[in-house]
C-alpha cells in the first residue's frame, strides 16, 4: 500500500464522547463511547462500520475538563475483550457476542484510588493475568486471573497514573513498567514485587504517556514543561526538555522518537529526538498538537484539529506524503491502522475509517 493516491473516508460512526482509541482484530473494530451517561463498548465491522454488538452500563460522562467519557482502549485477547471505565468498572466480554464473562470494580473490589481525570490505562494481558494500575493503598498495581477476575497478586501504594502498563524483560525475567502518578516503576510480572522506581513529578500528576521499552532501557515523557528521560535499571541515562509528551505517546522508529511536545490545546511542535542521547533532530511547529503512531517506516499522524497526515519516519526532515481532513472535531485520540485502513476518532465520538491503500 502507501501509494501516492489521496486517502478517502470510507465511513463515519457516531460513538458518543470518549478518548478511547480503537483496536482491530480479524476485521472487527473494538472501541468505547458514552451515550446518555452510559458507557458503550462497541464491536464494529472494519469494512463497513456496521455494529456487530454492543455492551453498555451506567457510567457518568463526567466532562472533567474535556469532552469526557471512557479514556481507556479495549484490550482483545483470544476470544475475550477487556475494558475499563474512568470510574473503575472492569468487564471481560465475549468477543463473539459481547456477553459478560465476568466483571469487577477497581474501587469497590480492590480499594483502588481513582486519579483526578479517571482511570485511563488500558488493561494489559500478561500470560494468564490481566494487569491494572489501580492506585490503591497496598493495591497500587493488581493482577487478576484473566479467566475469572480473581485476584492473583497486589502490590505497592503509589498513586495511579494515566498510562497503559507496558510489558518488558529485564535480565531475562518478565517485568511490567508502569508510569504512576509520581514515578516510573518496574515490577516483577509474576509477583508484583518492585524491581526499581524512578521519581517523576509532573504538574497535577499527569504522567499519561505509555513508557517505551527497548531492551533494558525505558523512555518516559510528560508535559507541563517536564520533559523526557531515558532510564536503564531505574537509573537516569539522560534527561532533558526536548520532548514533553503530555497525553500522546511518542513513536519509536529505528534510533529516533517522534512525538508531539507540549500541552494539549497549546502550540505543540512535532519533534524528532535521538533515543540514545535525547538530542533534537528536527521540530515541525505548524501542526498544532496531535497523536503519532508508526507503521511500515511511516508516521501516521492525527492532529488535534482532525487532519490525518502520512509521512516517512525520517530523522533528516518532516515531509508529509499525504494529508486529509479526516474529522472536524477536536482529536486527542491515537489513530489505529490495520489492513490499509486508518481509524480516526474525535473526542466528541465520531469514528471514521480512512482507506490509505
Amino acid at each position: 500500500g502507501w501509494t501516492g493516491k489521496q486517502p478517502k473516508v470510507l465511513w463515519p460512526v457516531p460513538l458518543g464522547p470518549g478518548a478511547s482509541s480503537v483496536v482491530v482484530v480479524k476485521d472487527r473494530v473494538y472501541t468505547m463511547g458514552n451515550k446518555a451517561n452510559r458507557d458503550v463498548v462497541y464491536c464494529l465491522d472494519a469494512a463497513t462500520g456496521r455494529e456487530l454488538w454492543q455492551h453498555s452500563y451506567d457510567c457518568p460522562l463526567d466532562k472533567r475538563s474535556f469532552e469526557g467519557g471512557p479514556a481507556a482502549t479495549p484490550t482483545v485477547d483470544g476470544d475475550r475483550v477487556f475494558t475499563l471505565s474512568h470510574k473503575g468498572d472492569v468487564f471481560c466480554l465475549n468477543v463473539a457476542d459481547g456477553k459478560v464473562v465476568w466483571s469487577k470494580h477497581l474501587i469497590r473490589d480492590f480499594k483502588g484510588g481513582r486519579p483526578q481525570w479517571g482511570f485511563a490505562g488500558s488493561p494489559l494481558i500478561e500470560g494468564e493475568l490481566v494487569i491494572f494500575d489501580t492506585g490503591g493503598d497496598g493495591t497500587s498495581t493488581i493482577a487478576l486471573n484473566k479467566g475469572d477476575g480473581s485476584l492473583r497478586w497486589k502490590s505497592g501504594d503509589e498513586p495511579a497514573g494515566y498510562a497503559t502498563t507496558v510489558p518488558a524483560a529485564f535480565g531475562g525475567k518478565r517485568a511490567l513498567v508502569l508510569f504512576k502518578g509520581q514515578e516510573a516503576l518496574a515490577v516483577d510480572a509474576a509477583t508484583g514485587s518492585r524491581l526499581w522506581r524512578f521519581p517523576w513529578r509532573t504538574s497535577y500528576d499527569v504522567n499519561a504517556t505509555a513508557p517505551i521499552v527497548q531492551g533494558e532501557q525505558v523512555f518516559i515523557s510528560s508535559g507541563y514543561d517536564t520533559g523526557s528521560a531515558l532510564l536503564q535499571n531505574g537509573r537516569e541515562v539522560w534527561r532533558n526538555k526536548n520532548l514533553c509528551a503530555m497525553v500522546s505517546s511518542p513513536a519509536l522508529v529505528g534510533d529516533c522518537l517522534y512525538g508531539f511536545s507540549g500541552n494539549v490545546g497549546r502550540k505543540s511542535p512535532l519533534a524528532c529526538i535521538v533515543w540514545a542521547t535525547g538530542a533534537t533532530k528536527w521540530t515541525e511547529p505548524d501542526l498544532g498538537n496531535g497523536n503519532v503512531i508508526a507503521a511500515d517506516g511511516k508516521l501516521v499522524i492525527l492532529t488535534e484539529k482532525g487532519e490525518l497526515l502520512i509521512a516517512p519516519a525520517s530523522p533528516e526532515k518532516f515531509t508529509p506524503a499525504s494529508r486529509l481532513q479526516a474529522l472536524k472535531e477536536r482529536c486527542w485520540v491515537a489513530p489505529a491502522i490495520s489492513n490499509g485502513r486508518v481509524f480516526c476518532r474525535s473526542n466528541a465520538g465520531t469514528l471514521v475509517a480512512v482507506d490509505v491503500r
Side-chain angles (χ1 to χ4, degrees), residues 10-309:
L10 300 175
W11 49 256
V13 173
L15 305 170
S20 179
S21 187
V22 308
V23 59
V24 189
V25 181
K26 293 181 179 162
D27 282 330
R28 286 174 158 216
V29 173
Y30 303 86
T31 187
M32 297 172 72
N34 186 284
K35 289 189 172 176
N37 289 308
R38 284 179 73 81
D39 272 1
V40 186
V41 182
Y42 295 94
C43 174
L44 310 173
D45 180 285
T48 63
R50 183 173 63 88
E51 186 178 300
L52 302 175
W53 56 254
Q54 64 162 253
H55 169 69
S56 69
Y57 54 90
D58 287 335
C59 188
L61 176 66
D62 190 358
K63 287 199 167 173
R64 50 196 202 282
S65 317
F66 65 107
E67 290 80 353
T73 301
T75 301
V76 177
D77 177 61
D79 57 2
R80 301 281 188 263
V81 54
F82 299 84
T83 66
L84 174 64
S85 82
H86 71 82
K87 285 289 194 192
D89 307 87
V90 174
F91 284 95
C92 171
L93 308 171
N94 259 322
V95 154
D97 54 14
K99 296 278 187 294
V100 178
V101 181
W102 55 261
S103 68
K104 295 286 177 186
H105 197 285
L106 295 188
I107 295 172
R108 290 196 297 269
D109 293 326
F110 307 109
K111 301 186 172 62
R114 180 182 183 269
Q116 183 178 349
W117 285 280
F119 293 107
S122 302
L124 172 73
I125 301 296
E126 169 63 31
E128 294 308 304
L129 306 176
V130 55
I131 311 294
F132 294 95
D133 179 6
T134 311
D137 201 357
T139 56
S140 176
T141 310
I142 62 169
L144 307 183
N145 178 316
K146 72 181 183 184
D148 63 9
S150 59
L151 183 68
R152 291 283 287 274
W153 57 252
K154 57 185 183 175
S155 77
D157 49 17
E158 307 85 10
Y162 302 97
T164 294
T165 303
V166 177
F170 297 135
K173 235 176 136 179
R174 294 295 293 177
L176 307 169
V177 179
L178 297 108
F179 204 13
K180 296 285 186 177
Q182 298 169 3
E183 65 208 85
L185 182 71
V187 301
D188 184 298
T191 64
S193 61
R194 182 193 288 170
L195 301 175
W196 53 255
R197 64 180 292 263
F198 186 80
W200 191 263
R201 297 305 298 264
T202 304
S203 299
Y204 313 105
D205 290 350
V206 180
N207 289 339
T209 61
I212 299 175
V213 178
Q214 185 168 234
E216 304 272 321
Q217 294 186 317
V218 175
F219 170 86
I220 55 172
S221 185
S222 62
Y224 295 106
D225 203 34
T226 308
S228 302
L230 187 68
L231 313 178
Q232 182 140 0
N233 302 320
R235 290 190 291 277
E236 184 180 307
V237 178
W238 60 258
R239 179 175 185 165
N240 65 39
K241 295 186 180 182
N242 291 349
L243 177 59
C244 302
M246 186 181 180
V247 296
S248 156
S249 301
L252 172 63
V253 185
D255 303 325
C256 290
L257 290 148
Y258 300 84
F260 282 91
S261 183
N263 298 352
V264 290
R266 303 215 186 134
K267 205 77 170 147
S268 304
L270 179 67
C272 171
I273 67 168
V274 178
W275 173 276
T277 63
T280 300
K281 296 295 274 185
W282 53 256
T283 59
E284 170 58 54
D286 296 333
L287 299 178
N289 206 319
N291 267 276
V292 56
I293 61 169
D296 288 350
K298 307 272 196 305
L299 304 178
V300 180
I301 295 160
L302 181 63
T303 71
E304 189 171 36
K305 293 183 172 140
E307 190 178 24
L308 178 68
L309 298 96

Side-chain angles (χ1 to χ4, degrees), residues 1-11 46-47 293-296 298-302 307-311 321-326 335-344 352-357:
W2 307 107
T3 58
K5 238 173 30 176
Q6 178 65 8
K8 64 172 191 289
V9 175
L10 300 175
W11 49 256
I293 61 169
D296 288 350
K298 307 272 196 305
L299 304 178
V300 180
I301 295 160
L302 181 63
E307 190 178 24
L308 178 68
L309 298 96
I310 295 167
S322 62
R323 322 173 68 123
L324 171 78
Q325 192 67 42
I337 185 159
S338 173
N339 289 332
R341 298 183 192 103
V342 181
F343 299 89
C344 304
V352 295
V354 178
D355 187 344
V356 295
R357 280 172 296 195

